[in-house]
């Protein structure tokens, strides 16, 4: 049986850690040639080796994603490696939290550059080409705090609220050309990035019906669903993958 994503190329940003790493592994397992980006070449090479050792196809692109130019140059590298890009997972993100008065203008600009500007310009680069081929899938990674007003989350949550609106607008813009654009909204997930939260992560998780923190693979499997045929009629959706947190 042919794996569902055989012959396709998937670009996963932030594929060196956590949810992005698990997504890269999952999509490679479905047969995609995965191009994963990150800043840490050591971790990138480790993910590529793990995927290749399992019989998959992957390449790492070192990319500090800060602006439109860096997004364009990553898209160029992905095209060079894959011929064209069929699947884009906008996963790379940063999540500084804390009192509004403690966050600087530089923090604000960094969060909006990484979480909003770069996904915007990656989609600007790659979605029109998907539309010209009549197919493609894009998944943006949001968060439950895009919808819930939580103290200390104004900056991060608002950046992801922008991502959720862009998801819907892009579904309207590119969906008629065969490109499905969706988002996942993860709850607290155990990753390198959330290690610093310590027990605070578990405390956040107790508020949801599942009552526990997610493994990155549980978010990756939802992303895999959104880029494969089982979700063929799902467009412009923000799928909560949060142990039920947004439901209660
Ligand atoms: P993580 O473990 O901190 O990994 C973040 C990834 O993004 C790394 O691969 C990192 O690359 C990359 N990255 C960050 N800033 C970058 C930049 N400026 N340029 C290039 N690459 C950059 O994060 P995670 O916890 O898996 O989170 C992944 C996504 O899920 C984020 O968008 C986050 O907001 C969202 N999310 C996470 C949770 C959670 O509880 N973990 C919950 C909801 C939503 P390098 O390390 O190689 O530099």
């Amino acid at each position: 049986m042919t794996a569902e994503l055989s012959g396709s190329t998937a670009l996963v940003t932030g594929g060196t850690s956590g949810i992005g790493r698990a997504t890269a592994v999952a999509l490679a397992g479905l047969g995609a040639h995965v191009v994963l980006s990150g800043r840490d070449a050591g971790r990138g090479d480790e993910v590529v080796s793990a995927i290749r050792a399992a019989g998959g196809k992957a390449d790492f692109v070192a990319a500090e994603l800060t602006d439109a130019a860096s997004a364009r140059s990553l898209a160029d590298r992905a095209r060079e490696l894959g011929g064209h890009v069929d699947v884009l997972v906008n996963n790379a993100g940063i999540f500084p939290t804390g009192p509004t008065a403690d966050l600087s203008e530089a923090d604000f600009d960094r969060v909006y550059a990484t979480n909003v500007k770069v996904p915007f310009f990656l989609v600007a680069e790659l979605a029109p080409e998907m539309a010209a081929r009549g197919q493609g899938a894009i998944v943006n990674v949001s968060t439950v705090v895009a919808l819930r007003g939580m103290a200390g989350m104004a900056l991060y949550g608002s950046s992801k609220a922008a991502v959720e609106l862009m998801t819907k607008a892009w579904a309207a813009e590119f969906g008629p050309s065969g490109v499905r654009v969706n988002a996942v909204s993860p709850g607290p997930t155990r990753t390198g990035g959330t290690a610093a939260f310590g027990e605070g992560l578990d405390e956040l998780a107790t508020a949801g019906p599942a009552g526990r923190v997610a493994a990155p693979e549980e978010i990756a499997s939802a992303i895999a669903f959104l880029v494969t045929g089982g979700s063929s009629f799902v467009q412009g959706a923000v799928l909560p993958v949060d142990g039920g947190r947004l439901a209660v």
Side-chain angles (χ1 to χ4, degrees), residues 60-73:
F60 170 68
V61 176
E64 170 92 43
L65 296 171
T66 53
D67 56 12
S70 60
R72 286 193 197 105
S73 111

Side-chain angles (χ1 to χ4, degrees), residues 14 16-17 19 39-40 43 63 65 91 142 156 160 189 191 193:
T16 55
S17 175
I19 292 169
R39 293 165 298 188
D40 187 318
R43 287 199 286 171
L65 296 171
N91 165 77
S142 182
Y156 171 55
K160 294 293 192 174
T189 306
T191 67

Side-chain angles (χ1 to χ4, degrees), residues 81-104:
L81 289 161
H84 55 76
V85 175
D86 306 279
V87 170
L88 168 64
V89 181
N90 275 314
N91 165 77
I94 53 172
F95 29 89
T97 57
T100 296
D102 290 356
L103 292 165
S104 65

